[in-house]
Amino acid sequence: MTLVAGLGFRAGCNVDSLRSALQAALQAASASQGKDFTTAHLRTLATAADKAQHPALLQLATELQLDIHPVSLPILAKTPSSPRANVPDRYGNHSVAESAALAAAGPVATLLGGRSVSPDRMATAALACIENTSP
């Protein structure tokens, strides 16, 4: 099983915020699926295209040795996920983390639970699952 991590965050977030949201998402997925998911299961980090060069995200990607998959705003806005009243219209008024994870993972992906929020509420993370189909 391969995972794509979708990340949503505020402009003022730092790498600790992203890291804690991602860890919370991995722990929640592990608990709900009865498996031990770690960052080793991640294929990529995904976020809105206009956030892809944020210094905190670049630092996290470097630490985890993962690529960043920028999701275009039109695709992000069209990808269904949980509605969020505080998310700007350009993101479709729904969870950036969930939408980015699903869009980057592809059409057969499913979310492993909802989004997780960092303790400082500056970042969110969601995981999309791609079942390995190779023998």
Side-chain angles (χ1 to χ4, degrees), residues 96-113:
V96 171
E98 292 176 6
S99 294
L102 287 169
V108 296
T110 57
L111 285 176
L112 290 181

Side-chain angles (χ1 to χ4, degrees), residues 1-2 10 31 39 43 52 56 61 74-75 81 96 98 101 120 124 131:
M1 184 178 299
T2 303
R10 296 177 188 211
T39 56
R43 182 179 79 187
I75 290 174
S81 65
V96 171
E98 292 176 6
D120 64 3
T124 61
E131 291 290 336

Side-chain angles (χ1 to χ4, degrees), residues 81-97:
S81 65
S82 301
R84 299 284 168 223
N86 60 336
V87 174
D89 287 339
R90 69 181 178 273
Y91 303 128
N93 296 109
H94 50 258
S95 171
V96 171

Side-chain angles (χ1 to χ4, degrees), residues 17-98:
S17 300
L18 291 173
R19 202 181 293 119
S20 63
L22 180 57
Q23 282 301 327
L26 288 165
Q27 290 170 351
S30 295
S32 72
Q33 300 296 308
K35 298 181 181 184
D36 186 25
F37 292 115
T38 67
T39 56
H41 292 95
L42 296 175
R43 182 179 79 187
T44 191
L45 303 176
T47 195
D50 64 349
K51 295 177 176 278
Q53 294 301 311
H54 191 282
L57 180 61
L58 294 173
Q59 183 178 344
L60 182 64
T62 298
E63 287 176 11
L64 298 176
Q65 298 181 355
L66 292 170
D67 291 330
I68 298 170
H69 182 107
V71 179
S72 73
L73 299 190
I75 290 174
L76 192 73
K78 291 178 187 176
T79 304
S81 65
S82 301
R84 299 284 168 223
N86 60 336
V87 174
D89 287 339
R90 69 181 178 273
Y91 303 128
N93 296 109
H94 50 258
S95 171
V96 171
E98 292 176 6

